[in-house]
Amino acid sequence: MLQVKNLYKSYRTKDIQYDVLKNVSFKINKGDFVAVMGSSGSGKTTLLNSISGFIPFDKGEILLNESNIVNLKEKEIANIRNKKLGFVFQDFMLLDGLTIFENICLPQIISSKNVASMEASANKLCEIFGISHIKDKYPAEISGGEKQRTAVARALINNPLLILADEPTGNLDSKSSRAVIDAFIRAKNKLSATIFMVTHDSFSASFCDKVIVLKDGKIYKELNKNSTRSEFLDLLLKTLKELGGDNNDNE
Ligand SMILES: Nc1ncnc2c1ncn2[C@@H]1O[C@H](COP(=O)(O)OP(=O)(O)O)[C@@H](O)[C@H]1O
Ligand SMILES: [Mg+2]
């Protein structure tokens, strides 16, 4: 599904080159819910943005369903972003002037899809995420948890290969964080969605199938859940403790 091979990325200022990702390789299968963890500055956002095609990288390959996103033209990258990727942002970015239903439809309005099929997809997502009864309301009129489910539904409307989320629970209390994670789990179970989420929250990450831990731009550990969630949580906490430094950053 997603394969990252020997990825290198540096940022250059006038006279210094700063290496951020140093030979990162991993693979994600369809239907996996994956978290990326690591201290502040370890390269999590840089990794996610490289996969999104938002920033160029130095060396390596990123294959999305076998096709390489390296060396694509700006227009082709925009096309992949719109059709093959879904994004969930930290502050959800629902448009206040649009109804819940219209917000969910937005990515399809942009790609000018057929209206009947767009509405059918949006209605199906409203059902899956339990928000059919509020679809004609505006974001200001619904609860936090409903907003988060709307944002996840919107990310799914183009039936993306992969959902990318950078610290989606970063600004939320624990109850709202649970609503986001529950929405991802629903997307995985009901739609076989594949989710790649950066998080510093071990509790949220403990619901994932796999956790990639970055340290100084390298993969420190790749942990697969083959036990209960609470045992996996213990393993995550132990691993982050080994990393040392500050893992409780609230970026
Ligand atoms: N646009 C940029 N230019 C220069 N340095 C950057 C830029 N973006 C991030 N960095 C640096 O790269 C490192 C990794 O950043 P980032 O990927 O945002 O880490 P994380 O998301 O894990 O906190 C940090 O040291 C950061 O300061
Ligand atoms: Mg970050």
Side-chain angles (χ1 to χ4, degrees), residues 40-41 43-46 166-167 198 249 251:
S40 182
K44 304 182 295 295
T45 295
T46 301
D166 195 353
E167 304 269 6
V198 169
D249 54 296
E251 294 146 74

Side-chain angles (χ1 to χ4, degrees), residues 3 16 23 27 45-46 60 66 68 79 99-100 114 124 132 159 186 201-202 214 220 224 226 235-236 246:
Q3 195 172 2
I16 356 174
N23 202 13
K27 226 169 144 175
T45 295
T46 301
E66 316 286 301
N68 204 334
N79 198 36
T99 65
I100 299 315
N114 166 294
K124 184 177 160 217
S132 299
N159 193 19
R186 229 180 259 213
D201 176 26
S202 311
L214 285 183
Y220 175 69
N224 291 297
N226 28 37
L235 176 64
L236 292 176
D246 116 68

Side-chain angles (χ1 to χ4, degrees), residues 38-44 167 200 216 246-251:
S39 310
S40 182
S42 57
K44 304 182 295 295
E167 304 269 6
H200 62 263
D216 300 330
D246 116 68
N247 300 308
N248 301 317
D249 54 296
N250 285 297
E251 294 146 74

Side-chain angles (χ1 to χ4, degrees), residues 35-105:
V36 179
M37 301 193 77
S39 310
S40 182
S42 57
K44 304 182 295 295
T45 295
T46 301
L47 176 60
L48 186 123
N49 286 342
S50 302
I51 296 168
S52 319
F54 286 137
I55 54 170
F57 47 88
D58 304 355
K59 235 176 19 175
E61 287 178 54
I62 299 178
L63 303 163
L64 198 55
N65 257 9
E66 316 286 301
S67 54
N68 204 334
I69 69 159
V70 188
N71 300 328
L72 292 182
K73 296 197 181 69
E74 197 49 46
K75 207 175 153 193
E76 295 166 316
I77 292 178
N79 198 36
I80 288 184
R81 234 179 261 148
N82 192 22
K83 301 221 173 101
K84 303 202 171 157
L85 302 175
F87 296 94
V88 175
F89 303 96
Q90 191 165 69
D91 50 8
F92 302 105
M93 300 223 238
L94 297 179
L95 298 185
D96 293 332
L98 299 182
T99 65
I100 299 315
F101 192 76
E102 290 162 347
N103 265 287
I104 293 173
C105 289

Side-chain angles (χ1 to χ4, degrees), residues 159-205:
N159 193 19
L161 291 172
L162 181 66
I163 291 202
L164 296 163
D166 195 353
E167 304 269 6
T169 63
N171 289 333
L172 304 174
D173 59 35
S174 60
K175 187 165 164 251
S176 306
S177 297
R178 248 335 267 280
V180 177
I181 299 303
D182 285 343
F184 283 147
I185 292 170
R186 229 180 259 213
K188 172 189 155 72
N189 290 343
K190 303 216 167 174
L191 299 164
S192 307
T194 312
I195 301 145
F196 188 78
M197 167 181 80
V198 169
T199 184
H200 62 263
D201 176 26
S202 311
F203 181 72
S204 295

Side-chain angles (χ1 to χ4, degrees), residues 20-38:
V20 178
L21 297 176
K22 307 161 193 167
N23 202 13
V24 171
S25 302
F26 61 89
K27 226 169 144 175
I28 294 180
N29 297 319
K30 181 170 164 57
D32 278 351
F33 182 12
V34 177
V36 179
M37 301 193 77

